[in-house]
Amino acid sequence: MDLQENSPEKQKIDNRNYKMIAENVSVYYGGVQTVKNITMKFKERSVTSLIGPSGCGKTTFLRCLNRMHDMTKNARVEGKILLDGEDLYSKDVDPIYHRRKVGMVFQKPNPFPTMSIYDNVSAGLRLNGVRDKKILDEIVEDSLRMAYLWDEVKSNLKKPAMELSGGQQQRVCIARALAIQPEVLLMDEPASALDPIATQKIEETILELAKEFTVIIVTHNMQQAVRVSDYTGFMYLGDLIEFNETKKIFTQPQNELTAKYVQGQFG
Amino acid sequence: MMSSSQKRAEYRSLFKQNVRGRLVVNKITMGIILSSVIVALVPLGSILIEVFKNGLGALSVQFLTQIPGAIGTGDGGIGPAIQGTVIIIGMASFMGIPIGVMSGVFMSEFGDNRFGRTVRFFNDVFMEFPSIVIGIFAFLTIVLLLGHFSLWAGAFALSLIMFPIVARTTEESLKLVPLTYREAGLALGLRQWVVTFRIVLSAAKNGMLTGILLAVGRISGETAPLIMTVLGSSQFFGGFDSPMDALPLRIWRLSLLPYDSAKMQGWGAAVVLIIIILSINIGIRYYFSTKNSSKSKFLYKIIGGRKL
Amino acid sequence: MFINQKHARFALPTDKIFKIIAVVAGAYILVVILLMVFQLYHESQPIWQKEGLSFILGSDWNAVEGRESFGAAPYVLGTLVTAGFAMAMGVPVSIGIAMFISQAPKIVANPISMVIDLLAAIPSIVYGFWGLYVFRDGLLNYIEYPLHDFLGDKIWFFSSAPFGLDIFSASIILAIMIIPTISAVSREIMSAVPHMQKEAAYMLGATKWEMFKLAIFPYAKTGLIGAAILGLGRAVGETMAVTMLIGNATGPSAFPQTLFQPGQTMSSIIANEFIEASPASLHLPALIGVGFVLLLVAVVINVVAHILVSKMLRVKEGIINA
């Protein structure tokens, strides 16, 4: 087939190679545009980092990918977000259908404080009608293993999640997100509230997860982006300045701003 | 051993396709929630409509200014009741506000210790005391002491209902005054009491005024503690030492009579009472809602979640 | 620095005096409460001496000289039954309102919470008057008679002939009156649940209702119970509307047996009889004794409620500070 470089047909075929595609996404907060017309494509089984100075809109953009802005009063999202070719923002689909395919881990660990570790991890499963104790046990174990927490907590799964350390709590949250078997995992600065050892564990977890999931991670830590991600997008004041393989962003940035940022000249 | 992605797929296949059902349950629940709002609004609407519909017709200059006529005739009015309510509120404010304000100053400026916390706790608890018990207390301390029912006793009872509200709202509004104001005053070499009265209280006066008005609104409808203190009367003011009528008392007395004319007069008295109370409440809320949102947050902070 | 110099010259310990006045004002509340408990206890002594425990357990209520006998059990029970029914009806509605307000857009939520607050501003006496002349008829014709006709034979508490001035109508008016209190506090409690808890639930694909079950209710449980108990405290102490609607039975016939019978509560018996009671007889000490019991019940309820609510709101502050 001989297709023109930018023809719609060619794009359609191209898009098949991507798990998730954001097309011309803009976000307005009470009339102020905080994310400006961003288009990004995320490959299956890859880790993509979003970096940029604080307030650049990277978290806001990430939350679009899960329709988390639906609950934020006076926030408005424009554009398309395609998951396997289906638009998340199409009017006739409830976001619940998509949220089970897109897991999310937040900046601060937010386990349900009154629940045990087990109940936290299985909360999403119970929503999905899984009642069989055997299956629950199996998926909880599997999720905790993937979050690298199983060995630390297997003997007391009934312990309240709040009694764990901050890093462990965050991994409970990762396990909770993984338990609903998402296809895409969004992580909003998942290690920002944690100490270096916990951070390292989380990073190992991310590398492991990338073998199966599409991971999109917001970070303000450039070393972290280098360590864990295959692709990196640099955002500044709501614009996506540059988006490329991580190696290229950090060694041969095309844009002057990107170069300055990755060299630590501002941030 | 299954490959990992096979395992994922198998897990996913165990999930029930229950989203549609869950959304229906959600819709039903939200419907129930909405209907509970309606359930609460219906009585409010009915009360306001009935009070105004029946009450406004009863109003006339004569009704508002004359003493009650002979029972069952429907003659006369509620003059003494209006006068009594105004006098009792004035006296109760006179007794309750200064001590309430000082108590609020205590809780905010000196209350950061065990004693202060005890005072704050019991202040909150006292706000919820049954008002009829406060009436008995005023009866035992004032009526038995003086030997007869009097305005003093009624005003004392109402001041006890008023002052914890004033104290708490004063405290909350003083706490909202930035510490830097106090520091600035003290740095100028001013005494603490001068700083408190001249700077802090004047910065907090909006909140305090709100609290006082809300307390006035609350006591103007109080009935139970007046039964055993001011007793009720059909004459105009005859000295602080004698019984007196009040609007809520008059409504009660009228409700005990079997005549249609008494019922009409009761509605008339109710509409006067409701107008007083609603104008205080709506006035305050309107004042705050037209100002910027920090002010309405402030109002929420000083009255939020409290029975006033 | 005019003020400063003035005070420098007169070396009065003004700050000390100021502090003393403030402390005295603060202590006033404690003195009032102690004095109140003491006075009510002291003035009701004669009845405790004469009747002993049977003042609480007995049901005779006779103020005729020479045959005086006072037992407050029906009124204590009447208070508990009306307040209990009011809770059963008022608490779910109040929590529903708080849920609605917490998830509705501001433009809807603000006016509604304002209107609900107005419900709290309407005085008890107006509720009573409205209850007597408007609400009673509607309740009697559209609820009490149908309930009695269809269920009267099967369920004992619907069995007696409806009258409109009975335990049922008093309970419903109480339920209406405690809604603003409970819903306002529940609203505050629910807004104290951190946003990230709600996000965690939504992230898992929860519907709104499931979000409430997963994130809000478990977190806010203590505070919501406290809010409900606060409403109970209000229901127990409420006087005028209940007095006007409960039918005012006395003696053994005031024992709550069915919902459609006239009853009496602790506060309504005081409101009804206090003025007629002669200070010389045992009647007045008996009523003061009822007041004393009411005071104790109210204090216990409110102390428990405040501990629960403030514990919950402290948790919120702790999380914000962390």
Side-chain angles (χ1 to χ4, degrees):
Chain A
M1 263 196 297
D2 186 11
L3 289 168
Q4 294 247 296
E5 184 62 14
N6 275 322
S7 72
E9 291 80 14
K10 170 102 168 37
Q11 274 208 336
K12 228 174 211 169
I13 290 168
D14 264 7
N15 286 354
R16 275 186 212 152
N17 300 324
Y18 296 99
K19 185 75 190 168
M20 194 175 225
I21 296 163
E23 266 180 22
N24 306 329
V25 172
S26 295
V27 183
Y28 299 84
Y29 259 116
V32 182
Q33 192 173 10
T34 51
V35 169
K36 297 170 184 164
N37 206 25
I38 287 186
T39 299
M40 267 181 118
K41 297 177 180 182
F42 305 100
K43 276 218 173 96
E44 203 161 3
R45 295 172 219 270
S46 72
V47 180
T48 305
S49 294
L50 290 169
I51 59 169
S54 27
C56 69
K58 51 193 192 301
T59 294
T60 311
F61 174 69
L62 187 79
R63 292 164 60 89
C64 292
L65 303 178
N66 199 13
R67 287 191 66 168
M68 270 293 160
H69 290 302
D70 283 23
M71 287 94 56
T72 319
K73 283 152 193 168
N74 67 45
R76 185 161 55 86
V77 180
E78 279 177 5
K80 270 186 184 173
I81 288 166
L82 304 172
L83 177 64
D84 291 328
E86 275 180 67
D87 188 6
L88 256 70
Y89 280 86
S90 94
K91 287 239 157 45
D92 38 60
V93 182
D94 198 278
I96 289 167
Y97 287 96
H98 296 298
R99 290 210 186 104
R100 60 205 293 218
K101 292 190 200 156
V102 185
M104 187 162 182
V105 177
F106 299 87
Q107 198 166 353
K108 277 189 187 167
N110 58 350
F112 297 122
T114 54
M115 293 184 194
S116 65
I117 300 168
Y118 184 94
D119 288 342
N120 260 286
V121 177
S122 62
L125 298 171
R126 279 176 280 130
L127 286 183
N128 279 306
V130 182
R131 295 267 180 271
D132 188 332
K133 181 88 173 73
K134 242 174 152 178
I135 298 170
L136 283 174
D137 287 348
E138 189 185 332
I139 302 183
V140 166
E141 178 179 342
D142 178 71
S143 308
L144 283 168
R145 276 188 197 284
M146 276 200 293
Y148 278 81
L149 191 60
W150 176 251
D151 292 333
E152 291 164 52
V153 300
K154 62 183 170 194
S155 54
N156 40 12
L157 289 173
K158 291 289 165 209
K159 196 160 123 178
M162 288 310 270
E163 285 175 20
L164 299 173
S165 72
Q168 289 173 321
Q169 284 184 25
Q170 189 64 304
R171 277 177 288 153
V172 168
C173 294
I174 293 176
R176 180 176 65 184
L178 294 176
I180 52 172
Q181 312 302 327
E183 292 159 33
V184 178
L185 188 64
L186 310 176
M187 303 179 109
D188 182 7
E189 304 196 21
S192 70
L194 306 180
D195 61 74
I197 295 166
T199 303
Q200 196 194 341
K201 293 222 165 174
I202 301 275
E203 285 179 10
E204 283 167 17
T205 310
I206 294 170
L207 284 173
E208 205 52 40
L209 296 176
K211 292 175 186 162
E212 289 178 47
F213 301 94
T214 307
V215 180
I216 305 166
I217 173 170
V218 161
T219 178
H220 59 237
N221 177 339
M222 281 179 274
Q223 284 73 41
Q224 189 171 61
V226 174
R227 284 193 297 264
V228 301
S229 64
D230 308 305
Y231 301 90
T232 297
F234 169 62
M235 285 179 70
Y236 185 66
L237 297 178
D239 285 308
L240 180 65
I241 305 290
E242 197 171 340
F243 179 36
N244 212 331
E245 286 170 28
T246 300
K247 221 175 12 185
K248 288 202 173 139
I249 289 279
F250 283 92
T251 53
Q252 314 156 313
Q254 304 298 304
N255 187 292
E256 207 183 325
L257 267 175
T258 318
K260 279 188 175 170
Y261 183 74
V262 299
Q263 285 159 18
Q265 290 185 18
F266 72 98
Chain B
M1 181 80 193
M2 281 188 297
S3 86
S4 198
S5 61
Q6 271 176 317
K7 201 162 74 182
R8 297 275 90 79
E10 184 175 323
Y11 285 157
R12 267 180 219 130
S13 72
L14 294 170
F15 293 176
K16 296 223 164 60
Q17 296 305 311
N18 59 359
V19 179
R20 193 175 297 211
R22 285 160 57 202
L23 286 171
V24 170
V25 171
N26 184 53
K27 269 236 168 80
I28 294 171
T29 321
M30 293 302 132
I32 294 173
I33 289 170
L34 181 66
S35 60
S36 64
V37 173
I38 294 166
V39 162
L41 295 186
V42 166
L44 178 72
S46 169
I47 290 172
L48 292 181
I49 290 169
E50 295 289 340
V51 166
F52 279 93
K53 190 181 77 186
N54 299 315
L56 288 177
L59 295 189
S60 66
V61 177
Q62 193 194 26
F63 179 71
L64 294 175
T65 56
Q66 288 192 349
I67 61 168
I71 287 173
T73 58
D75 292 341
I78 54 167
I82 296 176
Q83 189 194 32
T85 285
V86 171
I87 293 173
I88 295 174
I89 289 174
M91 290 171 74
S93 306
F94 193 72
M95 293 188 227
I97 292 173
I99 198 154
V101 169
M102 278 314 285
S103 176
V105 168
F106 164 74
M107 287 191 275
S108 147
E109 310 296 309
F110 307 106
D112 199 14
N113 49 41
R114 204 190 163 88
F115 179 58
R117 280 189 291 275
T118 312
V119 168
R120 192 175 298 113
F121 183 80
F122 281 102
N123 192 79
D124 280 2
V125 170
F126 190 71
M127 264 198 245
E128 310 285 338
F129 267 30
S131 60
I132 194 153
V133 172
I134 293 173
I136 298 179
F137 177 61
F139 173 85
L140 295 177
T141 46
I142 311 277
V143 176
L144 288 188
L145 191 79
L146 295 178
H148 47 80
F149 299 102
S150 70
L151 269 169
W152 289 118
F156 174 65
L158 294 191
S159 81
L160 289 183
I161 295 171
M162 195 173 182
F163 99 92
I165 302 174
V166 175
R168 203 67 163 94
T169 46
T170 300
E171 186 206 358
E172 295 290 352
S173 1
L174 290 184
K175 274 190 187 157
L176 293 179
V177 176
L179 201 61
T180 48
Y181 281 39
R182 297 176 175 86
E183 285 166 353
L186 293 172
L188 287 172
L190 300 182
R191 298 290 183 107
Q192 191 182 5
W193 72 275
V194 181
V195 173
T196 307
F197 280 105
R198 288 264 171 114
I199 301 175
V200 181
L201 280 184
S202 85
K205 63 174 183 290
N206 261 344
M208 291 165 54
L209 191 67
T210 307
I212 290 168
L213 285 173
L214 285 168
V216 166
R218 164 84 194 279
I219 62 168
S220 52
E222 276 297 344
T223 318
L226 296 184
I227 296 172
M228 58 277 283
T229 52
V230 300
L231 187 66
S233 150
S234 53
Q235 298 304 315
F236 278 108
F237 177 67
F240 295 111
D241 223 9
S242 43
M244 186 72 222
D245 208 2
L247 274 172
L249 267 184
R250 174 59 44 190
I251 298 173
W252 193 43
R253 300 267 180 256
L254 288 166
S255 79
L256 297 174
L257 300 174
Y259 311 105
D260 269 355
S261 59
K263 183 170 145 186
M264 281 313 296
Q265 290 192 321
W267 285 118
V271 82
V272 174
L273 186 59
I274 283 282
I275 287 173
I276 294 173
I277 290 170
L278 287 192
S279 47
I280 291 173
N281 272 276
I282 295 178
I284 293 168
R285 280 164 224 273
Y286 179 76
Y287 172 78
F288 280 102
S289 69
T290 51
K291 303 281 166 158
N292 54 36
S293 68
S294 74
K295 275 215 170 170
S296 46
K297 251 187 213 145
F298 163 73
L299 176 72
Y300 180 70
K301 193 158 175 153
I302 53 177
I303 69 165
R306 231 163 260 127
K307 170 198 172 192
L308 289 172
Chain C
M1 289 310 92
F2 171 72
I3 300 170
N4 186 22
Q5 280 175 8
K6 198 168 107 187
H7 291 295
R9 240 178 274 148
F10 301 97
L12 264 174
T14 42
D15 272 353
K16 220 170 211 171
I17 296 172
F18 167 62
K19 189 174 175 181
I20 289 170
I21 294 175
V23 170
V24 168
Y28 179 64
I29 185 82
L30 302 179
V31 174
V32 165
I33 292 177
L34 285 178
L35 206 61
M36 193 175 282
V37 173
F38 171 76
Q39 278 265 27
L40 263 70
Y41 174 71
H42 184 254
E43 297 294 328
S44 59
Q45 264 307 304
I47 200 72
W48 297 107
Q49 275 161 12
K50 177 175 179 278
E51 301 278 354
L53 254 188
S54 74
F55 179 61
I56 303 265
L57 301 174
S59 62
D60 277 346
W61 191 264
N62 197 339
V64 178
E65 259 191 83
R67 275 179 289 163
E68 286 169 322
S69 166
F70 296 97
Y75 319 133
V76 178
L77 219 57
T79 295
L80 296 180
V81 167
T82 47
F85 262 100
M87 293 278 284
M89 290 178 283
V91 170
V93 172
S94 308
I95 290 185
I97 293 170
M99 287 167 73
F100 180 86
I101 290 173
S102 74
Q103 52 86 42
K106 268 211 172 89
I107 195 156
V108 184
N110 284 355
I112 287 186
S113 47
M114 204 161 147
V115 168
I116 302 279
D117 287 345
L118 278 190
L119 259 178
I122 293 176
S124 177
I125 185 79
V126 175
Y127 276 104
F129 202 80
W130 170 81
L132 202 54
Y133 291 119
V134 180
F135 174 69
R136 178 195 172 188
D137 291 336
L139 190 75
L140 194 56
N141 292 328
Y142 298 110
I143 299 181
E144 291 197 354
Y145 278 127
L147 277 178
H148 175 71
D149 293 345
F150 289 111
L151 300 169
D153 302 334
K154 296 171 199 111
I155 304 176
W156 55 271
F157 50 72
F158 294 133
S159 60
S160 57
F163 179 50
L165 300 181
D166 48 38
I167 293 174
F168 188 67
S169 39
S171 304
I172 293 190
I173 208 101
L174 271 182
I176 297 171
M177 294 178 75
I178 61 175
I179 283 173
T181 309
I182 305 178
S183 64
V185 180
S186 312
R187 188 172 76 199
E188 200 174 350
I189 298 284
M190 286 185 191
S191 70
V193 176
H195 201 66
M196 55 186 196
Q197 287 292 318
K198 302 176 204 169
E199 285 183 338
Y202 280 129
M203 178 276 287
L204 291 173
T207 62
K208 236 173 216 167
W209 166 236
E210 288 162 346
M211 186 277 291
F212 274 104
K213 284 198 296 183
L214 266 181
I216 294 193
F217 290 148
Y219 196 99
K221 197 170 63 192
T222 319
L224 292 178
I225 293 171
I229 297 177
L230 218 53
L232 178 66
R234 190 170 186 193
V236 162
E238 191 50 63
T239 310
M240 295 321 294
V242 174
T243 307
M244 291 161 88
L245 281 170
I246 200 165
N248 300 316
T250 51
S253 73
F255 254 124
Q257 279 158 332
T258 73
L259 277 180
F260 296 153
Q261 84 178 59
Q264 188 81 271
T265 66
M266 288 191 268
S267 55
S268 68
I269 188 98
I270 299 172
N272 276 319
E273 299 194 352
F274 202 88
I275 292 304
E276 299 152 18
S278 149
S281 73
L282 275 174
H283 195 185
L284 192 65
L287 290 171
I288 296 171
V290 174
F292 182 63
V293 175
L294 175 60
L295 177 68
L296 293 186
V297 172
V299 169
V300 169
I301 288 173
N302 282 304
V303 165
V304 170
H306 279 283
I307 289 173
L308 292 179
V309 170
S310 61
K311 187 175 150 199
M312 167 74 200
L313 294 178
R314 251 205 317 282
V315 168
K316 159 199 175 188
E317 278 160 21
I319 278 184
I320 286 171
N321 294 337

